[in-house]
Amino acid sequence: MAIVVLLAMLGGGLAAPAGADPVIGSSNVVVADPGVPRPPGQPCVVNLFTNVSFDDFSPRPYSYAPPTACQGAWAKVVLEADFSVTAGRQYDRTATLWLAGVNLYFGTTQEPSATVSPAWHVERDLTDYATLLRSTGQGQAVIGNLVNSTYTGVIHGSARLLFYPASAQARAADVPDAVYPLGSDPVGSTATLSTPTDQLVRTLTLPTNVERAYLDVFTQSQSNDEFWYTCVPDAYASELQDCGGGNFREAEISIDGQPAGVAPVYPWIYTGGIDPYLWRPTPGVQTLNFMPYRVDLTPFAGVLSNGQPHQVALQVAGANGYFAATATLLVYRDAHASQVTGGITRNTLVGQAPTPSIGSTLTTASNGDISGDITTRLDRKFVIEGYAQTSNGRVTSTVTQDVGFHDVQGFTINASTYRQQVTQDTWSNSVSQSRLGKLLIVERRQHYQYPLLFVYDQLVAADGSGTAASSVQQGYVQHGEQRIFGGLAYAYDVHNHVVSSDTLQFDASGNITGHAGQQSAQRFDFGDSRGGCYRTSLTTQSGALASYSTGKGCPDQQNRVSWLAHPDGSPDSSLLPGH
């Protein structure tokens, strides 16, 4: 185990990402996010689809076969996709790519304008899905898009997989032995979770030698839940002229009905969200390319190995119509045992219902003016522990996690003003430990934090015209570290922060007549204990790129990241307990 990690630390040099900087003054999509770093060597490329049009709600099927020229071990597998939408009027659309029921990509599209036809590029590290990609299969691209005389924007897309062969300079990746999609669609689609009790569930009979297990989770808000982070409890919705259902959301994972883990829900804001001008040309955090949250289910390895069918389920606490959800189960097998036995010895998540506390200081004056705050708060800490009798002996796996959601919504409502301020913070701290007997072998620590500040300030003039000023600050903070026998083997930090503001102008009939003051900024920082450094920042003004800086603050003022790193914050298999 320690040898593999040591090789991961030493393998591969630091490479500066290739590609020209975006053009100052451009109105095309621009983000500060890093791409997936690549190992040395020439990849084999498999095209999934090329220049496909999305102008209706039918999936676009494709067939997949592994690359014949790269049949050996792979160091890394990367999905690349390029999308564009013609100029005109169009909504943002959810975009997903699938193979044999497994999600390969999840994101949304950029809205166009009458004069701008945006194009953008996304990447996802699919190395952990390599076992799936060893077999032929059917897949599909799903981007439902309405095109008619009013909504004219046609979306186009191409996607491909790049396979980097293992070599002396790029070791073969240690990947899961099996990949299972949750859901019943054999090709792939999301499940609709409209209420807190709706479930995405699959019954699986797994191998009898499961050693470790993980679940990659996506929960995307849709329809009435799109702006869940602004909603209020039902009791206040009418007087505040706001959506009901409250603003707490959390993904709950269970195995055979027993709570098995939780995943925080990120408040992604799509490019048509709140005020479309906020997101031209820079979208919100991860808007075009969501990252999954990986839940450690390893304490259940002994239970999952008993040869019986097991139900793995996902639901969203607080769902209020609706969340689009998908999940993928990743399983590692004990190569030297045909049967692993074990069970759960402790689970304090049982009985901890995800029920936040609600507080209010709202007051209503005699003239009907409303002011005050609504607070929503939930803090939970739990431990799940299980053992597995493996070929190495009895391994005890423990997941300790504390999760929190704190939110304050302030309101000022009167004849001329409607102001709402959302100050929200979601976080998760988890520690996964693997012990052989009493000896602590591997410890993995993960911290996630999702800060959000949203201010909406609508003013109405005496003639009925008005303005609506919006500002959004959202972030994605992640810290991870892995310790071997108590010593630090690897650590990293990810910070992604977007700030954007704009003011819409309305006439007395409520029609938008223009906007003013659009500006935004994004900064993306990554650093790790291998010496990796990625720092890129940008600003926009009036819908165009105003400044772009990359590498500032890194050694030699250049971004340099090991090909083994995950600077985008995606799950990293090298950080899993047991490696």
Side-chain angles (χ1 to χ4, degrees):
M1 288 179 253
I3 294 176
V4 172
V5 174
L6 181 60
L7 289 174
M9 294 170 63
L10 299 178
L14 298 178
D21 289 349
V23 177
I24 303 299
S26 172
S27 297
N28 196 24
V29 180
V30 58
V31 297
D33 304 53
V36 177
R38 314 303 175 87
Q42 189 68 25
C44 293
V45 180
V46 176
N47 289 316
L48 299 179
F49 56 91
T50 303
N51 197 29
V52 169
S53 297
F54 298 89
D55 53 9
D56 57 29
F57 284 84
S58 298
R60 302 300 193 259
Y62 49 80
S63 297
Y64 166 79
T68 56
C70 294
Q71 295 184 347
W74 301 321
K76 183 168 272 194
V77 183
V78 179
L79 169 75
E80 292 186 344
D82 293 285
F83 298 103
S84 64
V85 58
T86 58
R89 179 180 292 181
Q90 192 53 264
Y91 292 114
D92 57 73
R93 302 296 186 181
T94 295
T96 53
L97 304 182
W98 307 85
L99 178 62
V102 174
N103 180 262
L104 304 182
Y105 160 76
F106 205 146
T108 61
T109 66
Q110 184 86 4
E111 280 198 3
S113 70
T115 58
V116 178
S117 54
W120 62 98
H121 176 83
V122 297
E123 300 180 358
R124 184 178 171 190
D125 190 330
L126 291 178
T127 309
D128 283 350
Y129 294 66
T131 300
L132 168 76
L133 301 173
R134 291 285 177 190
S135 303
T136 60
Q138 298 301 307
Q140 61 185 13
V142 181
I143 308 179
N145 189 31
L146 174 65
V147 177
N148 55 27
S149 58
T150 302
Y151 300 101
T152 58
V154 178
I155 299 169
H156 296 86
S158 301
R160 57 206 164 272
L161 293 170
L162 282 67
F163 297 83
Y164 290 84
S167 66
Q169 293 76 37
R171 65 173 177 83
D174 183 10
V175 300
D177 299 298
V179 179
Y180 300 94
L182 263 66
S184 57
D185 190 317
V187 180
S189 64
T190 57
T192 298
L193 306 180
S194 295
T195 72
T197 58
D198 289 348
Q199 289 189 328
L200 166 61
V201 60
R202 186 171 181 191
T203 301
L204 298 167
T205 301
L206 300 177
T208 57
N209 58 349
V210 175
E211 190 175 42
R212 288 172 283 133
Y214 306 88
L215 191 69
D216 283 353
V217 175
F218 288 102
T219 49
Q220 182 218 15
S221 58
Q222 294 268 11
S223 191
N224 293 337
D225 262 329
E226 179 175 346
F227 303 107
W228 61 269
Y229 45 86
T230 69
C231 295
V232 297
D234 291 335
Y236 306 102
S238 179
E239 66 174 314
L240 297 176
Q241 308 163 50
D242 203 352
C243 51
N247 68 349
F248 169 73
R249 303 291 186 272
E250 182 182 77
E252 313 291 329
I253 294 88
S254 63
I255 295 177
D256 300 329
Q258 180 179 176
V262 302
V265 174
Y266 193 84
W268 291 307
I269 304 176
Y270 317 131
T271 55
I274 303 170
D275 172 354
Y277 295 105
L278 288 168
W279 317 117
R280 299 175 183 170
T282 297
V285 170
Q286 294 185 3
T287 296
L288 303 178
N289 189 9
F290 305 157
M291 290 295 123
Y293 184 91
R294 180 165 288 179
V295 179
D296 187 356
L297 300 177
T298 299
F300 290 84
V303 173
L304 296 173
S305 298
N306 64 8
Q308 300 300 311
H310 296 280
Q311 280 196 339
V312 182
L314 167 68
Q315 57 200 84
V316 176
N320 193 38
Y322 66 96
F323 274 78
T326 186
T328 303
L329 181 66
L330 307 175
V331 169
Y332 290 81
R333 302 173 64 177
D334 187 334
H336 304 289
S338 59
Q339 179 70 63
V340 168
T341 60
I344 295 293
T345 55
R346 183 165 48 148
N347 188 347
T348 65
L349 186 56
V350 175
Q352 286 200 48
T355 305
S357 60
I358 308 295
S360 172
T361 62
L362 291 175
T363 60
T364 302
S366 58
N367 64 353
D369 292 355
I370 299 173
S371 61
D373 298 336
I374 295 177
T375 59
T376 305
R377 185 183 182 105
L378 179 65
D379 294 279
R380 290 194 293 170
K381 183 173 183 177
F382 61 88
V383 179
I384 302 177
E385 184 174 273
Y387 74 95
Q389 196 66 39
T390 73
S391 60
N392 291 317
R394 182 180 171 120
V395 176
T396 300
S397 299
T398 306
V399 174
T400 303
Q401 188 169 2
D402 67 85
V403 291
F405 178 87
H406 292 183
D407 180 271
V408 178
Q409 296 196 67
F411 291 90
T412 301
I413 304 173
N414 54 50
S416 62
T417 302
Y418 185 97
R419 177 182 171 85
Q420 179 181 12
Q421 177 171 313
V422 177
T423 305
Q424 187 177 107
D425 197 14
T426 305
W427 70 88
S428 169
N429 295 306
S430 63
V431 180
S432 295
Q433 296 177 324
S434 294
R435 285 182 169 84
L436 185 59
K438 294 184 178 180
L439 179 63
L440 177 60
I441 303 173
V442 179
E443 179 178 86
R444 174 181 177 244
R445 294 180 175 268
Q446 289 278 69
H447 168 74
Y448 292 86
Q449 189 169 11
Y450 307 153
L452 172 67
L453 175 62
F454 165 55
V455 179
Y456 179 82
D457 200 353
Q458 181 175 325
L459 302 176
V460 180
D463 64 356
S465 63
T467 60
S470 300
S471 64
V472 176
Q473 298 182 39
Q474 61 176 170
Y476 181 93
V477 179
Q478 184 178 350
H479 171 77
E481 60 184 61
Q482 179 160 304
R483 296 179 179 273
I484 307 295
F485 300 115
L488 182 65
Y490 181 63
Y492 72 94
D493 288 279
V494 175
H495 294 265
N496 187 2
H497 190 66
V498 173
V499 180
S500 190
S501 60
D502 184 65
T503 300
L504 293 174
Q505 300 160 339
F506 300 89
D507 63 21
S509 299
N511 301 307
I512 297 177
T513 59
H515 75 107
Q518 188 283 324
Q519 59 182 352
S520 68
Q522 183 188 9
R523 181 179 176 91
F524 200 114
D525 293 340
F526 169 82
D528 69 9
S529 57
R530 296 187 182 116
C533 182
Y534 177 94
R535 293 182 180 176
T536 297
S537 60
L538 61 86
T539 62
T540 74
Q541 196 86 32
S542 301
L545 181 64
S547 68
Y548 185 86
S549 172
T550 183
K552 187 175 181 179
C554 291
D556 302 324
Q557 305 301 299
Q558 289 192 29
N559 291 333
R560 294 184 181 276
V561 179
S562 165
W563 67 268
L564 290 159
H566 288 236
D568 57 4
S570 58
D572 186 349
S573 63
S574 70
L575 288 180
L576 298 180
H579 283 250

